[in-house]
Amino acid sequence: MNILTASRARSLAAVLVGVAICNLPAPAGAAAPSPRPDEWWFRTWAVQDRIWPLTRGAGVTVAVIDGGVNAKLPELTDAVVPGVDLADHSTDGRVDLDTGSPGHGTATAAQIAGRGGGASGYVGLAPEAKILPIRLSLSGEDHTPEAIRAAVDHGAKVINMSYGSDASTMTPAYCSPDMAPAIDYALRHDVVLVASAGNEGDAANYPSQPASCPGVLAVGALTKQLRPWWKTERQSYVTVAAPGADVSLLDKRGIMHMGDGTSSAAALTSAAIALIRSKNPGMPARTIVQRIFATARPTGTPAWNNRTGYGLLNLSAVIDPEHHPVSAAAPNPLYDGFDRWQRQLAALTASPKAVSTSGSARQYAEKPTSSESTILWIAVPGTAVACLVCLAAIAFLRYRKGPRRGRAGT
């Protein structure tokens, strides 16, 4: 090899090394897109100072069960993986066909994993996480159980459900019995289920499924002042709270608008859990949920209330078990409540004579207030049992065919 050839070879080698370095994953401390000023929850959680130096969500997939996600927006470049379309099987979930809003699924996905590109510069709380869209028809027959299973089978470690149906006729625990196997499937596969608590706290205040189901982390909404948003549901199943009022949202056309709702609170909670899982990949879902309850910042007295649950999710504490240890014996009402619900469903199946009154998820979880009674069991003989069973079946069919509710402003 002559000198000229050797020189060219060295130059080429240097270029190749440079290209390789440029294509290495960026370390957590590298420059990241800055959130918009109206994304006030970044300051609330000190995300840029305390969280992003540790992780930005890499390696975690969050399923967004909704009306689809517009993956073509530059703000979501490389964020959305192929998903599942349970509405009409016409897409892989990466198209937002939600006609009832400017794009509920897209807004949710951007809050979780927006990359900061495009005209808006919108940044998600976990901008290196992946979004798995599971598209549902948000009216008519409910396919949430099927959607949960699909999300688990496609590798999601967090499932976001920012929607709800009127569950006031459901029994037991304000949750359709066919949800139980799907929730059990997710929990056994180490997946955290998150749902919006509902947006009718100032009106009918109906319990909202799937948030009302035991085993699901039900999220209420807080204002900038960290007070309960006036429309957040007042329900005994509420477990935790997150920012949800006066939030900026990116719609499916890439246009910014403002909104309020527990949907946003759920989305930001799902993103927070993605960050926690990314930083602590060996931490089981059960432990993450236990730490969320143990470290939450109460928003009033008593420590638990029916609008914000145990309080504001304390992200910097949950994510750092070294400096914020939580006893393995600490209460975990979410999982305890689901176990109780499973036992009740099994008892109802085994013995129709043991019929439960319509109780709340909180009653199953035994959250710490004494103002509400515990579940009552009633042994009803003869024809009364048949009547109760028929009423439960009618209520179930009403839910299955009824419209989706609770998607206000997101």
Side-chain angles (χ1 to χ4, degrees):
M1 180 183 294
N2 59 36
I3 295 176
L4 183 59
T5 304
S7 175
R8 287 176 176 171
R10 285 193 296 271
S11 299
L12 179 59
V15 169
L16 292 175
V17 169
V19 170
I21 291 173
C22 289
N23 283 286
L24 288 174
S34 296
R36 295 163 51 95
D38 49 19
E39 295 183 87
W40 56 269
W41 45 93
F42 280 85
R43 296 185 298 276
T44 296
W45 278 324
V47 172
Q48 290 172 279
D49 296 333
R50 297 183 186 178
I51 307 301
W52 278 1
L54 304 174
T55 178
R56 294 180 200 138
V60 179
T61 298
V62 181
V64 172
I65 302 179
D66 213 292
V69 174
N70 181 5
K72 293 183 178 180
L73 291 181
E75 291 87 347
L76 290 171
T77 299
D78 297 326
V80 189
V81 300
V84 178
D85 187 338
L86 297 175
D88 58 16
H89 309 285
S90 64
T91 75
D92 63 2
R94 292 183 293 178
V95 180
D96 192 333
L97 298 178
D98 181 7
T99 58
S101 79
H104 194 270
T106 301
T108 299
Q111 285 188 301
I112 296 170
R115 299 311 205 227
S120 72
Y122 198 89
V123 181
L125 191 66
E128 292 180 8
K130 294 291 187 181
I131 297 294
L132 173 72
I134 308 292
R135 181 174 172 247
L136 289 184
S137 171
L138 296 174
S139 63
E141 187 174 8
D142 179 55
H143 290 280
T144 296
E146 187 179 353
I148 289 173
R149 287 180 171 273
V152 173
D153 291 342
H154 284 74
K157 301 308 290 183
V158 187
I159 296 177
N160 185 85
M161 299 175 285
S162 287
Y163 59 86
S165 295
D166 178 2
S168 60
T169 60
M170 294 296 99
T171 182
Y174 298 141
C175 186
S176 173
D178 72 339
M179 286 288 291
I183 295 172
D184 180 59
Y185 187 72
L187 298 186
R188 285 190 291 106
H189 284 81
D190 196 42
V191 176
V192 181
L193 295 158
V194 182
S196 51
N199 300 340
E200 295 187 354
D202 65 322
N205 197 47
Y206 292 123
S208 179
Q209 181 175 292
S212 58
C213 292
V216 177
L217 197 67
V219 187
L222 292 171
T223 66
K224 290 180 181 179
Q225 294 76 32
L226 302 184
R227 295 171 183 162
W229 176 53
W230 65 296
K231 288 188 176 183
T232 199
E233 295 272 347
R234 294 162 171 82
Q235 290 290 348
S236 54
Y237 56 72
V238 180
T239 52
V240 73
D246 296 320
V247 294
S248 54
L249 300 165
L250 180 72
D251 71 18
K252 63 186 177 184
R253 299 162 295 177
I255 298 172
M256 297 299 306
H257 62 100
M258 298 298 292
D260 306 289
T262 58
S263 288
S264 290
L268 294 175
T269 298
S270 293
I273 294 171
L275 292 168
I276 295 162
R277 304 212 81 161
S278 178
K279 176 62 174 63
N280 304 278
M283 185 180 289
R286 183 180 290 264
T287 302
I288 290 172
V289 171
Q290 182 184 47
R291 289 183 58 79
I292 287 173
F293 293 146
T295 61
R297 292 168 50 188
T299 59
T301 54
W304 180 91
N305 68 74
N306 64 3
R307 292 189 292 175
T308 60
Y310 288 97
L312 172 66
L313 188 153
N314 189 345
L315 180 52
S316 61
V318 182
I319 205 170
D320 186 3
E322 180 180 354
H323 295 98
H324 298 274
V326 169
S327 169
N332 197 338
L334 188 82
Y335 284 83
D336 293 345
F338 180 74
D339 292 342
R340 291 188 186 92
W341 189 49
Q342 288 278 71
R343 290 195 294 269
Q344 273 218 326
L345 290 175
L348 286 170
T349 301
S351 177
K353 290 184 179 181
V355 181
S356 160
T357 60
S358 181
S360 71
R362 177 173 159 273
Q363 289 170 324
Y364 286 80
E366 294 182 353
K367 293 189 179 74
T369 59
S370 59
S371 60
E372 297 185 40
S373 60
T374 55
I375 289 295
L376 301 176
W377 286 83
I378 305 173
V380 185
T383 57
V385 172
C387 291
L388 286 169
V389 171
C390 289
L391 287 172
I394 292 168
F396 175 66
L397 290 172
R398 173 185 163 188
Y399 163 73
R400 295 282 289 185
K401 297 178 182 297
R404 309 295 291 173
R405 299 176 64 253
R407 302 185 62 241
T410 335

